[in-house]
Amino acid sequence: MYPVIVEDIKKYYKKYSHKHKFLTLKSAFVKRTLFDDLEKDETFEALSGVDFKVEKGKTVSIIGENGSGKSTMLKLLAGISKPTSGNIITEGRISALIELGAGFHPEISGRENIFINGIILGLTKKRIQERYDDIVKFAELEEFIENPVKTYSSGMHMRLGFSIAINVDPDILLIDEVLAVGDASFVPKCLDKINEFKRRGKTIIFVSHDLSTVERISDEVIWLKEGKIEKQGYPKRITDAYLEYIGKKDEVKAGEKHKKEEADAAQNKEKRWGSKEIEISNLKMIDKSGKEKYIYESDEPFTIEFDVDAKQQEKDFVFGVGIYNSEGTLCYGSNTHIEDYKAALIEGKGKVKIHVQALHLINGTYFLDAAVHKRDGYPFDYHHFQYTFRVTSTFRDVGISRVYHDWEFSKNIRLQKDENL
Amino acid sequence: MIKKLKELLKYRQLIVTLVSRELKARYRGTVLGFLWSFANPLLLLLVYSVVFGVILPQSSGRIEDVHIKGINYSIFLFTGLLPWIWFASSMLDSANVLFVHGNLIKKIRFPIEVLPIMNVLTNMVHFLLGLPILVLFILFFGKDFSLTWWVFFFPVAVLVQFVFTMGLCFLVSALTVHFRDLRDILANLLTLWFFATPIIYPFMNPMVQEKKGFVTALLLNPMTHIIEAYQYTFFFGSLPHWKKIPVTLVVGLFLFYVGYLIFDRLRDTFVEEV
């Protein structure tokens, strides 16, 4: 049984150009352009032939880059807009969490808005009365429910909207990126609620950029690319393929970014300081085949190299590097002094290389520091937060650094390694 | 068409809720609150009474055995002004209603025709709230005349006006989405329309009747017959033009049909254009 069937959906949007806007009301009626189908060259194809079915009780996620047609697809499923061609067949009551609290009136109280919004979403007054306490409690708004909605914070607004929408008790739940605004304690609560829907055998279609949530809750993932289904199937397989694709795309961008950062570095005093008796330049990250690259797997070896130029003889110098994550936490830092290299002499131009066997860091964006200074800290040249690179990883482990490990279970505990990857 | 209208019945709770929300939210935060529903037409009445009763008193006179002078003129004016305000604000609001509630159209599956209906009904409630004031005025201040049994005929006028206004509002709300210029055109058009409807002067005024071309224009204006229906039932206590009412209703029904048809044809374009 398929409560959602999508057959060869195409959706064109009108491209905005004033040239084609009707000049007067009369010309629109005379030429009948208002009602006629649009010419192909005046349109933008948001979806070009999408087919899929969703089984009852399954959770399907739609992923893809911005502008790939995810939200359009969801709007079509919700019946908000109509496809240009193709069919959508749905069975059962649909609740769409596209924009939470879309019908709220700012001037009136939360309590009144619950009733109005509930009726807008298709509930009866009696039913809202029954669920009223649940709605308020879930939204954690007991204290504020009599205040006008315009005084609510965006988080409160979102919680109330979610709470009402979820209490519509739909057979099919459509969720667009709405969880992005929730705070750290409310999002897990929403996910719990979504899981409860799953257990009760409801069909869910989920649109998100948050791949770890996607993997956690879906039975199937559809990857949309430029209005077409690029890949579809087992969540992990699809998200990995998607990540790889994004990674490849980013690699080109990251290379360009690195060059720009280097150019900016010379000007930016906050990011670079020191007396410049010894100067660091031309920092690169090189993979094992000798190619410059700024995206690495967690267990991939690579080399950091940079040029040094000592304008005069120096006997006291230390080279150091540091790696920070995107929150600014120092993940690792070391220098030649800590590692017991005694400095003897530096003069003229040279090159320093640091061979990294493996980073053992988790997924994310990192900053790299490089510095040369005296043992007492007197800086010759300090490059702070000037270089970024990314670490990709097939696992979604959390923390800062990956602790290498293996699992072992006694015989009465049986787990199976997912080979579907 | 009939089928679609039947579907609308399903949304009556939604319509009722939205109308009461509009009414509640309208005066929220004002000191006088709901009293504004009464105060607004009264203040307007005061302005018009001074302008047309005191400064330019030519429009008054003796018609149908009732002196339309002084306070009687104010009452006459009020009788026509109240339904006109309902009509004019419905039209002006309908030019904006789809934009103001764009969120409902774009983010929720929502029966869009509910919005213009809500708008006309909300303004109708304001109109109905003004009626008791009119009745009180007639009872306490009316000189040489009072209410007659004809007053129970006024719901017919309300019905005809509702159908007529609704048809135009469907048309206006749908077309404004594509031609935003309509808003400004409408505001000016309504000013002209106001003076081309016997509200500040009685249709039977000799100065009006002298100009044959103008009389023809007035007769072709459906609002003339609607406003006159109120003036006769409340003020003159007779209904000599009863034949014109069904004709106006037919015109109204035709407009309603065309208006809804165009609204329905354009419905799918609203999501992208609003």
Side-chain angles (χ1 to χ4, degrees):
Chain A
M1 208 167 71
Y2 297 101
V4 178
I5 301 173
V6 172
E7 290 173 347
D8 195 25
I9 287 295
K10 291 196 171 87
K11 177 73 184 173
Y12 303 143
Y13 282 115
K14 193 157 64 178
K15 267 190 201 154
Y16 265 94
S17 69
H18 286 285
K19 211 172 80 188
H20 293 291
K21 276 241 144 187
F22 337 102
L23 289 174
T24 61
L25 202 59
K26 201 179 109 204
S27 74
F29 280 108
V30 172
K31 291 184 193 156
R32 297 187 51 82
T33 41
L34 202 51
F35 299 117
D36 289 349
D37 292 331
L38 293 154
E39 300 279 320
K40 201 153 186 192
D41 60 326
E42 291 174 1
T43 58
F44 161 76
E45 224 172 323
L47 289 172
S48 34
V50 174
D51 276 286
F52 65 88
K53 288 175 182 174
V54 181
E55 264 180 72
K56 191 170 161 45
K58 296 280 180 210
T59 301
V60 172
S61 292
I62 302 175
I63 59 170
E65 292 161 278
N66 289 329
S68 58
K70 303 184 301 284
S71 293
T72 303
M73 191 66 240
L74 214 61
K75 276 191 177 179
L76 295 177
L77 286 170
I80 293 168
S81 55
K82 298 266 180 317
T84 312
S85 74
N87 283 316
I88 293 178
I89 304 156
T90 55
E91 213 182 276
R93 191 208 278 274
I94 299 177
S95 179
L97 279 67
I98 289 180
E99 191 175 290
L100 296 168
F104 284 167
H105 198 297
E107 292 290 342
I108 60 182
S109 72
R111 185 175 54 77
E112 287 165 303
N113 266 307
I114 290 180
F115 282 92
I116 292 159
N117 212 250
I119 284 167
I120 289 173
L121 295 177
L123 290 176
T124 61
K125 214 164 188 161
K126 201 173 143 243
R127 186 147 178 79
I128 304 167
Q129 196 76 58
E130 283 165 17
R131 318 215 74 170
Y132 177 77
D133 289 335
D134 288 346
I135 293 173
V136 178
K137 196 166 161 243
F138 188 84
E140 301 166 14
L141 284 173
E142 290 92 339
E143 281 172 59
F144 308 101
I145 203 68
E146 296 297 336
N147 296 358
V149 164
K150 67 176 174 188
T151 63
Y152 287 15
S153 69
S154 57
M156 287 155 85
H157 204 269
M158 176 253 167
R159 292 203 307 259
L160 190 59
F162 186 88
S163 188
I164 299 169
I166 209 95
N167 273 293
V168 171
D169 200 19
D171 303 303
I172 302 166
L173 188 64
L174 308 175
I175 307 170
D176 197 359
E177 212 70 88
V178 288
L179 301 179
V181 284
D183 59 27
S185 75
F186 194 68
V187 170
K189 227 170 125 181
C190 295
L191 290 175
D192 279 352
K193 198 80 189 175
I194 291 167
N195 275 322
E196 187 195 315
F197 267 81
K198 279 188 69 153
R199 281 197 301 277
R200 278 160 53 198
K202 310 279 185 181
T203 309
I204 301 172
I205 297 178
F206 185 70
V207 165
S208 184
H209 286 290
D210 179 6
L211 296 182
S212 61
T213 309
V214 165
E215 279 169 24
R216 213 167 341 136
I217 69 170
S218 8
D219 301 300
E220 193 181 337
V221 171
I222 292 170
W223 167 14
L224 279 184
K225 190 178 149 195
E226 287 156 17
K228 286 197 182 79
I229 294 183
E230 174 79 9
K231 272 197 170 70
Q232 176 180 4
Y234 182 81
K236 191 92 179 79
R237 190 166 61 85
I238 306 300
T239 51
D240 281 348
Y242 175 64
L243 266 183
E244 198 186 313
Y245 162 77
I246 293 293
K248 279 207 185 100
K249 241 181 119 172
D250 279 4
E251 217 159 279
V252 182
K253 277 194 210 148
E256 284 164 11
K257 200 174 162 206
H258 180 79
K259 286 209 178 69
K260 197 174 163 288
E261 276 164 357
E262 232 174 26
D264 291 347
Q267 272 93 45
N268 198 338
K269 286 209 175 85
E270 266 175 50
K271 285 182 156 187
R272 187 175 177 184
W273 61 86
S275 60
K276 300 274 173 74
E277 277 113 357
I278 308 175
E279 238 182 290
I280 291 178
S281 63
N282 205 16
L283 185 140
K284 281 181 190 152
M285 292 173 83
I286 310 280
D287 73 359
K288 57 179 184 275
S289 64
K291 218 177 81 196
E292 193 176 341
K293 195 171 100 164
Y294 296 93
I295 292 182
Y296 291 94
E297 294 279 323
S298 186
D299 51 2
E300 189 179 345
F302 65 92
T303 301
I304 303 165
E305 61 166 57
F306 52 84
D307 295 338
V308 287
D309 183 3
K311 311 247 160 64
Q312 61 199 62
Q313 276 195 10
E314 286 291 342
K315 285 181 182 146
D316 177 6
F317 59 93
V318 176
F319 293 111
V321 288
I323 294 170
Y324 293 83
N325 66 16
S326 54
E327 279 140 42
T329 308
L330 177 62
C331 301
Y332 185 73
S334 188
N335 64 33
T336 49
H337 179 64
I338 295 173
E339 292 180 30
D340 289 335
Y341 287 94
K342 298 273 180 289
L345 186 74
I346 183 169
E347 193 181 6
K349 289 182 182 175
K351 209 174 202 59
V352 176
K353 291 186 184 184
I354 303 131
H355 298 288
V356 178
Q357 280 80 35
L359 274 165
H360 295 186
L361 289 172
I362 61 156
N363 241 349
T365 303
Y366 292 87
F367 297 97
L368 188 64
D369 277 17
V372 52
H373 51 84
K374 284 191 184 173
R375 262 197 314 253
D376 61 7
Y378 172 85
F380 290 122
D381 194 2
Y382 208 106
H383 295 217
H384 181 53
F385 268 46
Q386 273 192 23
Y387 311 99
T388 55
F389 63 98
R390 274 188 45 190
V391 174
T392 62
S393 152
T394 45
F395 298 111
R396 301 276 170 275
D397 43 6
V398 296
I400 292 170
S401 158
R402 168 166 302 157
V403 174
Y404 270 66
H405 58 276
D406 285 306
W407 295 87
E408 193 184 330
F409 308 102
S410 65
K411 277 194 184 133
N412 58 329
I413 306 170
R414 268 187 290 171
L415 287 95
Q416 211 163 17
K417 182 99 171 125
D418 216 328
E419 301 299 343
N420 216 339
L421 306 181
Chain B
M1 179 80 177
I2 300 294
K3 213 181 99 197
K4 291 217 159 132
L5 287 179
K6 267 189 186 157
E7 221 166 89
L8 272 180
L9 281 179
K10 276 198 316 206
Y11 301 126
R12 59 182 185 278
Q13 198 179 19
L14 176 63
I15 294 173
V16 169
T17 313
L18 286 174
V19 168
S20 67
R21 176 182 87 165
E22 287 302 300
L23 292 172
K24 268 182 204 160
R26 173 70 179 81
Y27 299 117
R28 223 13 99 84
T30 59
V31 178
L32 288 186
F34 227 76
L35 287 177
W36 275 115
S37 274
F38 304 109
N40 275 330
L42 277 176
L43 290 171
L44 194 64
L45 172 69
L46 193 70
V47 173
Y48 279 101
S49 293
V50 169
V51 173
F52 297 107
V54 180
I55 304 175
L56 300 164
Q58 287 93 338
S59 43
S60 49
R62 187 189 163 87
I63 287 154
E64 304 261 330
D65 300 325
V66 181
H67 289 284
I68 307 182
K69 260 198 290 207
I71 189 75
N72 275 5
Y73 176 73
S74 294
I75 296 173
F76 170 81
L77 193 60
F78 202 40
T79 316
L81 208 52
L82 276 181
W84 177 264
I85 294 172
W86 170 23
F87 173 72
S89 11
S90 296
M91 292 281 280
L92 285 173
D93 290 350
S94 71
N96 289 319
V97 74
L98 297 189
F99 297 97
V100 172
H101 300 278
N103 245 351
L104 291 179
I105 298 171
K106 282 196 268 198
K107 310 288 183 187
I108 299 176
R109 175 154 61 174
F110 187 81
I112 305 174
E113 58 268 51
V114 163
L115 292 174
I117 296 176
M118 170 200 84
N119 159 41
V120 174
L121 285 177
T122 308
N123 282 302
M124 186 173 95
V125 173
H126 285 301
F127 162 66
L128 293 177
L129 285 173
L131 282 185
I133 302 182
L134 176 64
V135 170
L136 288 178
F137 260 91
I138 293 173
L139 291 179
F140 289 102
F141 300 113
K143 284 208 180 95
D144 314 325
F145 85 102
S146 195
L147 289 176
T148 64
W149 291 108
W150 277 107
V151 81
F152 294 104
F153 197 72
F154 96 89
V156 176
V158 174
L159 175 77
V160 175
Q161 190 184 347
F162 178 78
V163 172
F164 178 74
T165 311
M166 203 57 252
L168 276 181
C169 284
F170 274 135
L171 200 65
V172 167
S173 57
L175 292 180
T176 320
V177 171
H178 293 274
F179 311 97
R180 310 212 173 177
D181 316 51
L182 213 58
R183 258 184 239 175
D184 298 277
I185 296 173
L186 197 68
N188 291 296
L189 190 73
L190 281 169
T191 311
L192 176 67
W193 201 339
F194 173 74
F195 290 107
T197 305
I199 298 167
I200 53 167
Y201 52 86
F203 181 59
M204 295 312 286
N205 188 318
M207 277 161 63
V208 173
Q209 291 295 325
E210 268 169 30
K211 305 178 186 77
K212 290 287 165 229
F214 188 56
V215 171
T216 316
L218 281 181
L219 285 172
L220 286 174
N221 171 7
M223 280 313 283
T224 300
H225 310 304
I226 292 169
I227 297 291
E228 268 207 297
Y230 291 101
Q231 287 164 347
Y232 276 104
T233 52
F234 279 101
F235 196 79
F236 298 118
S238 66
L239 197 64
H241 80 318
W242 61 272
K243 279 182 196 155
K244 291 172 193 158
I245 288 289
V247 177
T248 314
L249 180 63
V250 170
V251 172
L253 283 172
F254 174 74
L255 252 175
F256 187 93
Y257 178 77
V258 172
Y260 188 79
L261 204 72
I262 290 179
F263 188 92
D264 200 42
R265 287 292 295 271
L266 292 175
R267 175 198 304 269
D268 294 340
T269 63
F270 296 156
V271 183
E272 284 144 43
E273 296 285 342
V274 164

